Each structure stands twice: as C-alpha cells, then as structure tokens.
Amino acid sequence: KKLQQQRVNNSRLFFQNNSHRFAEQQDLIASYSHYGKIVASVLENAIKNSNSLALEIGPGDGAFLLELSPKYNRVIAVDNSEAMLQRASQLANENNISNVSFVLGDTTSQALKNVKADVIVINMVLHHTADPKQMIADTSALLAPGGALVITELCSHDQAWTREFCGDLWLGFELAQITRWCVTASLKEIASSHVAQRNGFQIQVRLFTR
C-alpha cells in the first residue's frame, strides 16, 4: 500500500510541476497528433447504446475533449492533477465548449459514483498510473452495458529514461497484459490497431465493450 501511494504521489507531483511542458513531453514519446484522429475514428465505429455521456480519464491538456464534446450530450473529464485539469478547462473555454464537467480525482471519486457512461476514453494514461489493472476494473464498473471503452497505450519498451523525463511509472504494456486485465474486468475486445511512432515507440489502440 505504501508503494502504491508513493507511485500515486510521484505521478501527481510530476504533472503538477510539469504541466506547462505537457506538449513537449508528449512529443518525446507519443504526440497526440499521431493517435488522436485514429482514436476518434475507432469511437465513430464503436458499438454503443447512445450518445448521452462520454467520460475521459486523464484528459491531459484537453485535446480529445474537442472530439468528444460535439458528439455527446455530456462529457466528464477526470484527472488527479489540478494543474492539468485547469489546462483542459482552459482549452474548453477557449473553444466555447459548455457540455464538459471537470472532476479532480480518479476512477474511485465519489463524483463518479452513479456514472454509467456510453463511452470511456483512456488515452496514454495507464503508464502513469500506480495500479493500471485496478483502473481498468474501476473503469469497467463505470461503463454502461453495451458501452465502449477505448484504451490508447504504449506497447512494452525498454527506454527507462521516460521515468525521469516523462513521469512514466511503467515502460508500456504487452498486448496480452492489457487483454488479461480487461477480461478480468468483464470486458470483451472488439477491435485493435497499432501505430508506429518515432524514437522506437509503438502505440496500441484497443476497443472493448461491456
């Protein structure tokens, strides 16, 4: 428990101190421009019950909220970094987006207690998460039956410098690892794709349903 809490604190502190360099850090590994449209396309073809509610966990600077907002009646953005949440909120305001609510916290937050989302998006978040398996389990519980979960993540790599320079807690994940966690959380995979990325990184885009 102490180790898990230390991981949580380290991740939160990193983003609190480096929020102004978010785009620069993204570009070191996986720029949003390389996967954002692919994730949007995957969601466009996803099986879901309605377009009522979308939830994004770890919205970063809010770029993908610009994709979600026009397509869903209501959007919730959850982040455990107040600095990053403020950046996402600022971007929403600059683009006159009014249907997004912002929650400071994580997937265990009381503010999400009664949420049943039609779509949940986790873009490049799990490798910053103290317990990615538990986050997936929590997320599954927040998904409406028939809803769609998109996970965008780094494939497993050996570039340990990302821990110091990008605040990564994990060096990506094997495809089978994420699959196991999702199956345990009662999720079924319906699509996947891979995106080659510079500097030796590869991105996996996975679509699951409940």
Side-chain angles (χ1 to χ4, degrees):
K1 287 183 179 179
K2 287 182 179 179
L3 177 59
Q4 293 292 80
Q5 189 57 51
Q6 186 61 52
R7 287 174 176 169
V8 170
N9 292 341
N10 288 348
S11 179
R12 183 182 296 120
L13 185 62
F14 179 87
F15 284 102
Q16 195 70 27
N17 293 336
N18 293 275
S19 62
H20 61 290
R21 298 174 54 216
F22 180 76
E24 178 184 338
Q25 290 156 351
Q26 268 197 328
D27 287 343
L28 289 173
I29 302 179
S31 172
Y32 173 78
S33 63
H34 284 84
Y35 64 83
K37 293 300 182 182
I38 295 172
V39 177
S41 177
V42 168
L43 269 184
E44 194 71 28
N45 298 313
I47 302 169
K48 52 188 180 298
N49 287 336
S50 75
N51 293 334
S52 177
L53 174 62
L55 168 64
E56 183 171 13
I57 299 168
D61 62 4
F64 199 70
L65 295 175
L66 304 185
E67 295 282 351
L68 292 173
S69 175
K71 298 179 177 67
Y72 295 90
N73 298 335
R74 188 162 65 100
V75 180
I76 301 174
V78 182
D79 204 302
N80 66 359
S81 166
E82 185 174 5
M84 293 308 303
L85 208 63
Q86 287 175 349
R87 286 181 63 87
S89 178
Q90 180 180 347
L91 185 66
N93 289 334
E94 290 171 354
N95 286 272
N96 298 314
I97 291 175
S98 59
N99 64 336
V100 179
S101 56
F102 296 89
V103 174
L104 179 61
D106 56 28
T107 50
T108 66
S109 297
Q110 282 296 306
L112 303 179
K113 184 177 180 181
N114 298 315
V115 164
K116 290 296 178 183
D118 301 295
V119 157
I120 300 179
V121 177
I122 310 178
N123 282 334
M124 306 300 287
V125 171
L126 292 181
H127 63 271
H128 292 295
T129 303
D131 191 345
K133 179 181 179 181
Q134 186 59 51
M135 173 173 279
I136 288 175
D138 294 343
T139 301
S140 177
L142 297 171
L143 195 64
L149 166 64
V150 177
I151 298 175
T152 307
E153 235 339 303
L154 292 174
C155 295
S156 182
H157 63 86
D158 60 1
Q159 303 199 48
W161 59 266
T162 59
R163 297 185 189 277
E164 178 181 356
F165 289 97
C166 303
D168 293 12
L169 299 179
W170 305 93
L171 301 182
F173 303 96
E174 298 290 344
L175 274 67
Q177 191 173 28
I178 290 181
T179 298
R180 284 195 302 271
W181 291 338
C182 288
V183 168
T184 300
S186 302
L187 296 167
K188 178 177 67 174
E189 186 166 16
I190 54 178
S192 67
S193 63
H194 297 83
V195 184
Q197 177 72 2
R198 68 180 187 276
N199 301 332
F201 294 101
Q202 190 176 36
I203 301 170
Q204 49 183 304
V205 181
R206 316 283 296 276
L207 175 62
F208 297 87
T209 189
R210 182 174 172 81

